[in-house]
Structures are given as C-alpha cells and as structure tokens.
Amino acid sequence: NYGLIVDCVSCAAPPPPPAPSGAGDVKGKVTDAVPGANLEGVLVEIVGTALSDTTNRGGRYGITDVAAGDVTVRASKAGYVTQDKSATVVAGGTVTVDFALVL
C-alpha cells in the first residue's frame, strides 16, 4: 500500500490579479470625411489633460492611462474643422473613438 504524499512548503493560493488602475485607453482612427483617406499628423487629445497623441500614416492614434470616467476627445489638424467627441473610459479597458474631419 503506497499512498500519495504531498509536501507543500507554500501551498497558499496564488495572489489575485491586480485591480484595474482606475485608468483605461483611448484609441481610434482619423480620416478625411470626403475622400475617406487616412489623415496623418492629426493631434488627438483628452481635453483638460496633458494626454495626447498624433496620428500615424494609417490615421491611427492611441492614448494610454486615461482616467476612468467621461472624457472629451478632440481631433485637430490645420486646415480642418476641429472635432470633439464624448467617450466613457472604463478602468482597465479600451474605448475606440474614430473621427472623420472636414475641411
């Protein structure tokens, strides 16, 4: 008769995953409203904060560590009408905010 012997020095349950930091991310794409072409070099910012990003060649941007809650996201580029959109950022999540700017 052989039984199974379990010797556990540290059998405590693994620690729980870290709680969301209270911040999330905002990402999206900016295009020209008429031809639908991607717009590079657009400043996208979270109004009332120092958080911003500039769109790449594909018209994409990403802003991290945005405080959870309701925010206003602004897209601006010389020659185009500045556009604001409202979004709700969820802690640990990502919200997508796309823009189609007009001349």
Side-chain angles (χ1 to χ4, degrees):
N1 268 347
Y2 292 98
L4 178 63
I5 299 173
V6 177
D7 184 15
C8 182
V9 175
S10 173
C11 288
S21 66
D25 301 332
V26 177
K27 70 171 188 169
K29 186 174 183 179
V30 183
T31 58
D32 184 304
V34 176
N38 299 331
L39 284 178
E40 181 179 5
V42 177
L43 174 64
V44 182
E45 58 190 318
I46 307 300
V47 175
T49 75
L51 301 174
S52 66
D53 192 21
T54 303
T55 57
N56 62 18
R57 187 179 308 171
R60 300 207 176 272
Y61 72 91
I63 304 172
T64 59
D65 295 325
V66 179
D70 295 332
V71 297
T72 300
V73 185
R74 175 172 292 153
S76 58
K77 181 175 175 78
Y80 288 85
V81 177
T82 297
Q83 190 175 102
D84 289 352
K85 288 194 173 183
S86 297
T88 301
V89 177
V90 177
T94 300
V95 62
T96 300
V97 181
D98 294 330
F99 292 91
L101 298 184
V102 295
L103 288 172

